[in-house]
Amino acid sequence: MKKNRHGADLYALERRYKWKPEEVLDFSSNINPLGPSPRALEVPAKNAGAAARYPDPEYRKLKAAISRYANVAPQHILLGSGTSQLIQEYIAYIHPARALLNSPCYSEYGKELEKVGAKIVEFPLDYHENFMLDVDRIIETIRREEIDLYVLTNPNNPTGTVLTRVEIQRILDETGVRMLVDETYIEFTDRGVYSVCALAAGRDDLFVVRGTSKFFATPGIRLGYGITADGAAVEALSEKLSLWGINIYADLMGREMFSDEAYKAKTYHLIQSEKERMCARLEAIDALKVFPSYGNFVLVKIQDRSHTAAELREALLEKKMVIRDCSSFRNLDERFFRFCILKEAANEMLVTEIEAFFQK
């Protein structure tokens, strides 16, 4: 079975080109360029002996840290080995007959829905409208298609479009649908406007998942959490999830990273300022259409037929830079690519190489 790839396979590049992973500028994986929270990084060295004991099976201190961070009560929190496990288990639990997905979106939702035999209805996002999400049309589609579950990434990957908390509440209130909202990239936005964690803590028709892979730059520790007021779902999923499914270093590091205010503020401001600067440069290239994004990544279309995203990717790969060729996403073609925001020097290198590529 072919595995889903989350951005560049740095290990494959290492085998193919004999490069070390740290030599590659990875603009494809959407990971915070600052790396993990400095406070969280101190945890393993200071707690080396923790490897000799089991984690707390209830993860009380970790849940308390998430509770403070997300402003929800601990009893509404579920822990998982990354968001992928929580998405898989929730879809299996709901077992929807008919599900709605935005198109394009993250491919794993469709795979999990297919496993339970759900009929997948696609809601096409139009690049002529900057892939914006039309709430009236979404509500009309849910009603017409008798949708049981609407799966939404907010902001959406790869388009970077987003719905506000008010808009999501309206969809729930006016349709009676269940929603699974993946907030993997929510920390790169204004959480007060767009996050629905607090809403989920008061409703049984909403399940929110978040992880630490992207904003907190810790994909290696596999830490995710879900939030819902659906007590039956919490109980059922808790039975499915492993007793010690979160390793002790993920537990300890999580307690620190969520409260590292300086790190969170620095990340947010870096991404916003660099995204604005990079987009302004790329928008000056006639061959490119740059789409507005609320994530730490930007989707771009090559407007003419002179080049493909694959050709651009190969040219950049020669410079040890990796972007995402988006031709594998539904509703996109061979002219779409995506890049994420890294540090200023790396971003400057990428923009300069893209400018040079389209000047040839």
Side-chain angles (χ1 to χ4, degrees):
M1 182 187 301
K2 184 178 179 181
K3 296 289 186 181
N4 183 64
R5 300 297 182 193
H6 296 248
D9 184 343
L10 298 181
Y11 304 103
L13 293 176
E14 182 180 20
R15 291 193 300 271
R16 178 180 174 185
Y17 297 104
K18 310 305 179 186
W19 296 339
K20 296 178 181 178
E22 59 268 22
E23 294 178 320
V24 180
L25 293 177
D26 183 6
F27 289 92
S28 71
S29 296
N30 301 344
I31 296 173
N32 184 348
L34 296 181
S37 152
R39 281 172 43 187
L41 281 178
E42 294 175 355
V43 167
K46 290 182 176 179
N47 296 273
R53 65 177 184 268
Y54 288 104
D56 172 8
E58 299 297 328
Y59 296 97
R60 295 170 182 86
K61 291 182 179 179
L62 176 58
K63 285 185 176 180
I66 295 171
S67 173
R68 291 189 293 271
Y69 176 59
N71 195 29
V72 298
Q75 65 265 28
H76 299 313
I77 298 170
L78 280 163
L79 300 176
S81 179
T83 57
S84 297
Q85 183 186 36
L86 293 166
I87 291 166
Q88 177 182 12
E89 295 295 347
Y90 186 71
I91 288 175
Y93 168 72
I94 296 299
H95 209 283
R98 300 177 66 81
L100 183 66
L101 294 179
N102 295 321
S103 181
C105 72
Y106 179 51
S107 63
E108 288 300 297
Y109 309 135
K111 294 177 183 179
E112 296 303 327
L113 288 165
E114 287 172 356
K115 288 180 184 178
V116 300
K119 166 66 176 177
I120 298 173
V121 177
E122 293 190 350
F123 184 83
L125 305 182
D126 188 348
Y127 80 88
H128 294 291
E129 299 174 355
N130 288 335
F131 298 103
M132 297 302 293
L133 293 155
D134 186 322
V135 175
D136 290 329
R137 286 182 53 229
I138 291 170
I139 290 172
E140 191 276 331
T141 301
I142 291 171
R143 289 171 173 168
R144 183 185 69 248
E145 298 290 342
E146 298 181 328
I147 299 298
D148 302 307
L149 179 67
Y150 176 27
V151 183
L152 169 72
T153 319
N154 207 44
N156 186 47
N157 175 25
T159 63
T161 43
V162 71
L163 289 178
T164 66
R165 180 184 66 257
V166 172
E167 289 171 325
I168 291 173
Q169 183 169 357
R170 182 185 162 206
I171 292 170
L172 290 166
D173 290 343
E174 295 187 18
T175 65
V177 75
R178 281 183 178 268
M179 286 187 68
L180 166 56
V181 179
D182 184 346
E183 291 193 343
T184 291
Y185 300 100
I186 200 71
E187 284 99 346
F188 296 107
T189 70
D190 183 341
R191 290 188 296 147
V193 175
Y194 300 106
S195 176
V196 289
C197 276
L199 189 63
R203 307 184 65 120
D204 61 8
D205 54 1
L206 177 59
F207 187 70
V208 177
V209 294
R210 285 184 182 176
T212 65
S213 295
K214 305 302 185 181
F215 186 86
F216 291 100
T218 53
I221 68 172
R222 309 309 306 139
L223 176 59
Y225 59 97
I227 297 171
T228 185
D230 184 347
V234 171
E235 183 177 356
L237 269 62
S238 296
E239 290 294 321
K240 292 285 188 180
L241 299 172
S242 301
L243 176 60
W244 288 298
I246 308 301
N247 74 71
I248 199 160
Y249 291 110
D251 179 2
L252 295 171
M253 291 177 72
R255 300 180 204 175
E256 289 296 325
M257 69 177 71
F258 293 120
S259 60
D260 192 339
E261 299 300 331
Y263 167 81
K264 290 186 289 185
K266 185 176 180 180
T267 295
Y268 181 82
H269 291 300
L270 169 68
I271 298 302
Q272 301 310 313
S273 61
E274 281 297 290
K275 180 168 60 177
E276 181 179 353
R277 185 179 70 84
M278 295 178 76
C279 287
R281 289 271 296 277
L282 294 177
E283 285 168 354
I285 302 174
D286 291 338
L288 300 181
K289 164 66 175 177
V290 182
F291 297 94
S293 174
Y294 288 83
N296 64 325
F297 53 84
V298 178
L299 182 66
V300 183
K301 181 180 182 181
I302 302 171
Q303 300 197 87
D304 56 33
R305 298 284 179 179
S306 60
H307 298 287
T308 65
E311 291 169 345
L312 174 60
R313 185 183 185 278
E314 286 302 310
L316 292 171
L317 200 54
E318 294 177 4
K319 308 292 183 179
K320 298 185 180 180
M321 301 181 196
V322 187
I323 59 170
R324 176 66 188 267
D325 172 2
C326 291
S327 59
S328 62
F329 282 94
R330 294 183 65 83
N331 204 27
L332 300 182
D333 62 25
E334 71 279 359
R335 291 178 291 164
F336 287 87
F337 67 92
R338 188 197 69 201
F339 66 90
C340 67
I341 313 302
L342 298 185
K343 292 182 180 179
E344 184 175 359
N347 296 335
E348 181 64 27
M349 291 173 62
L350 177 68
V351 171
T352 298
E353 290 297 334
I354 292 175
E355 288 172 337
F357 179 85
F358 286 101
Q359 288 172 359
K360 294 178 183 177

